[in-house]
């Protein structure tokens, strides 16, 4: 495994691999890697000859009062995990390397970025789409793998790659969960033991929606009230949003009469966690 922190070096190494006819899979991350990232990396290993992983806590996707400085970082442990999975190239650039000079160009995906997380994080997706475009231009992968836990991000990046004719196949990988169902996230590290227990309210809520839809409930108002009832029982939990949306357009629906993505964000104290599932009427 080779570690390159400069754009010139990573480009040079990958040009050589491509010249030898090798395909490239790419897993962009913000580090503090957990089993969810490991699953993305394993998927990457299966899909191409060379696996590239970037580790970059991207400042432009954090709002002014968000957790950029506190975001957990542990490069040594991350490199060990990348090595364990058999990554070939790791790219952990500095912010100065990624944002040289005074950038005046951003990438914006309209519409899809306005609802769900975009409502409370209005600048977030522009930061994501801009940095992922830059990373795609640096790595030039054949495939890139993103987790379904960040479902809106996945939908936005798919749209972006389509709109910009970026020659990359975007793969969505299923959410990896702790044994009690909590979706793995680097931000779980912020939770106190008590908040960690309460955090299962996200998956409990989503599973309750799933069960009610399987029993025939289609009214989003009824499902919404049920989830709020569960959240009311957790003293540190505050709902940011609960949305029922079309899986591709992310347009809100009033009735679960077709496959629907149910997505939510919940604050546990200061920590904001997200999760989502697909529900399909009539499916067990
Ligand atoms: O999902 C993440 O970790 C980040 O949003 C990403 C895609 C690496 C861009 O910084």
């Amino acid at each position: 495994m080779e570690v390159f922190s400069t754009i010139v070096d990573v480009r040079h190494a990958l040009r050589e691999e491509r010249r030898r006819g090798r395909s490239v899979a790419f897993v962009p991350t913000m580090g503090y890697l957990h089993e969810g990232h490991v699953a993305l990396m394993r998927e990457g290993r299966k899909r191409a000859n060379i696996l590239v992983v970037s580790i970059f806590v991207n400042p432009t996707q954090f709002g002014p009062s968000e957790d950029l400085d506190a975001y957990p970082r542990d490069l040594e442990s991350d490199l060990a995990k990348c090595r364990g999975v058999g990554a070939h190239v790791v790219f952990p650039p500095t912010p100065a390397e990624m944002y040289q000079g005074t950038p005046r160009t951003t990438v914006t995906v309209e519409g899809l970025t306005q609802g769900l997380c975009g409502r409370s994080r209005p600048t977030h997706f522009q930061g994501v789409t801009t940095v992922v475009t830059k990373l795609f231009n640096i790595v030039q992968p054949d495939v890139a793998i993103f987790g379904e836990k960040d479902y809106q991000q996945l939908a936005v990046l798919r749209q972006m790659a389509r709109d910009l004719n970026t020659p990359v196949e975007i793969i969505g990988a299923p959410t990896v969960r702790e044994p009690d169902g909590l979706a793995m996230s680097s931000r779980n590290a912020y939770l106190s033991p008590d908040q960690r227990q309460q955090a299962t309210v996200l998956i409990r809520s989503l599973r309750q929606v799933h069960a009610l839809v399987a029993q025939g409930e289609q009214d989003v108002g009824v499902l919404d009230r049920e989830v709020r009832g569960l959240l009311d029982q957790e003293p540190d939990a505050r709902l940011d949003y609960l949305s029922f949306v079309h899986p591709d357009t992310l347009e809100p629906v009033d009735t679960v009469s077709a496959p629907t993505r149910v997505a939510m964000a919940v604050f546990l104290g200061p920590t904001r966690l997200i999760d989502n599932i697909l529900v399909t009427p009539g499916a067990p």
Side-chain angles (χ1 to χ4, degrees):
M1 183 177 92
E2 292 184 289
V3 182
F4 300 112
S5 317
T6 69
I7 295 168
V8 164
D9 285 346
V10 81
R11 274 205 173 124
H12 179 262
L14 293 175
R15 195 176 304 128
E16 189 52 29
E17 296 296 350
R18 256 181 247 104
R19 202 183 55 76
R20 293 183 188 154
R22 297 195 176 134
S23 57
V24 174
F26 180 39
V27 177
T29 80
M30 296 212 301
Y32 213 65
L33 304 179
H34 49 66
E35 282 304 309
H37 297 109
V38 169
L40 304 183
M41 293 194 276
R42 288 210 177 101
E43 191 61 38
R45 286 282 275 126
K46 278 195 250 155
R47 288 184 180 259
N49 304 123
I50 299 292
L51 171 63
V52 181
V53 181
S54 64
I55 298 176
F56 180 58
V57 182
N58 172 37
T60 67
Q61 68 188 75
F62 289 78
S65 58
E66 291 184 353
D67 56 340
L68 172 61
D69 293 336
Y71 197 85
R73 294 159 167 90
D74 188 345
L75 185 58
E76 281 317 303
S77 153
D78 289 347
L79 293 178
K81 289 190 175 108
C82 293
R83 200 169 285 115
V85 175
H88 300 86
V89 172
V90 180
F91 177 48
T94 60
E97 178 70 10
M98 282 302 285
Y99 293 104
Q100 293 170 19
T102 310
R104 296 183 194 282
T105 307
T106 53
V107 178
T108 307
V109 174
E110 309 281 354
L112 285 178
T113 52
Q114 257 115 58
L116 307 168
C117 290
R119 192 156 299 137
S120 53
R121 306 187 74 192
T123 56
H124 171 69
F125 286 110
Q126 188 179 77
V128 171
T129 44
T130 302
V131 81
V132 171
T133 300
K134 287 162 70 68
L135 290 166
F136 280 176
N137 286 338
I138 294 163
V139 174
Q140 297 179 25
D142 298 284
V143 292
I145 301 105
F146 297 88
E148 278 186 357
K149 189 194 63 101
D150 297 288
Y151 189 78
Q152 186 176 15
Q153 169 173 281
L154 178 60
V156 166
L157 292 173
R158 280 199 165 118
Q159 181 77 42
M160 178 187 89
R162 255 195 319 271
D163 291 348
L164 299 181
N165 304 104
T166 310
V168 62
E169 185 188 356
I170 306 265
I171 310 287
T175 302
V176 178
R177 299 182 179 280
E178 301 284 358
D180 64 4
L182 179 69
M184 294 215 179
S185 163
S186 305
R187 289 190 169 99
N188 293 350
Y190 297 149
L191 301 170
S192 70
D194 193 30
Q195 290 167 348
R196 169 65 187 79
Q197 281 198 336
Q198 295 180 53
T200 58
V201 73
L202 282 96
I203 188 61
R204 283 188 281 117
S205 300
L206 295 171
R207 285 181 179 156
Q208 178 68 356
V209 169
H210 188 275
L212 291 171
V213 169
Q215 287 162 28
E217 184 57 67
Q218 296 198 349
D219 185 332
V220 163
V222 172
L223 299 167
D224 182 279
R225 274 195 296 283
E226 187 74 26
V227 170
R228 283 170 200 271
L230 289 175
L231 284 159
D232 283 346
Q233 293 167 32
E234 305 301 341
D236 294 337
R238 180 170 59 81
L239 184 63
D240 179 19
Y241 71 80
L242 170 68
S243 297
F244 297 76
V245 297
H246 184 283
D248 301 327
T249 64
L250 306 187
E251 286 293 329
V253 299
D254 296 330
T255 310
V256 183
S257 52
T260 299
R261 250 318 134 167
V262 188
M264 67 192 304
V266 174
F267 282 97
L268 284 133
T271 305
R272 184 175 173 281
L273 300 180
I274 58 173
D275 202 350
N276 70 84
I277 55 164
L278 184 72
V279 293
T280 304

